[in-house]
Amino acid sequence: MSIWWSLHLRREAASVPLARRLLLGTMETAGVDPDVSYDLSLALSEACANAVEHGGERQDSTAAYRVTAYLDGEKCRIEVTDSGPGFASVRPRPAPVEAESGRGLGLIQELADHVQIGNKPGRGAVVSFDKILKWREGAPLMAV
């Protein structure tokens, strides 16, 4: 059995905890190990915060981004897509330790097993990442 969902969210700070809570609730219900759930929810929060901050013109009241999550029994894949200018490089450099911002993508890379960062020319950026799941004993969606 698998689960997937997709959210279309306004680029507002309040959308970040909403996406995170939905992911945590989904993984708890499915029976995913809490440590894996926490890592993925933190990575999702960073990707969403990046979309909110950089995903389009500040003055655009209709600006939105999309979060899609797939749990397929052995892994979880998450994609966050915005409509902003995209990344200057598809291989963003890690921010210096003393920087006040810019460490989110590096954190996502540390928390996930595989990360892909890309641009949709003229239509924004895509951050996708996945992680192999660990399950609690007797989990409803545990891979057979």
Side-chain angles (χ1 to χ4, degrees):
M1 183 157 117
S2 62
I3 296 174
W4 73 270
W5 51 259
S6 187
L7 298 172
H8 187 83
L9 299 165
R10 292 186 77 128
R11 281 188 42 243
E12 299 172 349
S15 68
V16 177
L18 174 66
R20 182 179 176 144
R21 280 189 225 120
L22 181 58
L23 180 65
L24 282 169
T26 300
M27 290 193 293
E28 181 180 347
T29 301
V32 174
D33 177 81
D35 290 338
V36 173
S37 297
Y38 178 78
D39 287 353
L40 282 169
S41 70
L42 184 55
L44 173 63
S45 294
E46 292 297 330
C48 290
N50 197 57
V52 167
E53 181 67 25
H54 305 290
E57 295 294 324
R58 264 294 157 219
Q59 299 79 12
D60 185 358
S61 64
T62 64
Y65 67 102
R66 181 174 302 279
V67 176
T68 306
Y70 309 89
L71 280 80
D72 72 1
E74 66 182 49
K75 75 177 179 180
C76 178
R77 179 171 188 83
I78 297 172
E79 295 179 1
V80 178
T81 306
D82 67 46
S83 57
F87 294 102
S89 165
V90 291
R91 294 182 188 258
R93 288 190 199 174
V97 174
E98 65 276 1
E100 291 187 25
S101 65
R103 292 185 300 272
L105 293 175
L107 186 57
I108 293 168
Q109 290 172 331
E110 290 297 317
L111 294 168
D113 294 327
H114 181 259
V115 179
Q116 225 175 344
I117 299 168
N119 289 322
K120 289 183 169 185
R123 298 184 315 185
V126 179
V127 175
S128 61
F129 51 94
D130 53 61
K131 189 165 184 81
I132 301 298
L133 297 175
K134 294 180 188 171
W135 298 94
R136 293 188 323 255
E137 188 64 37
L141 292 185
M142 186 169 28
V144 177

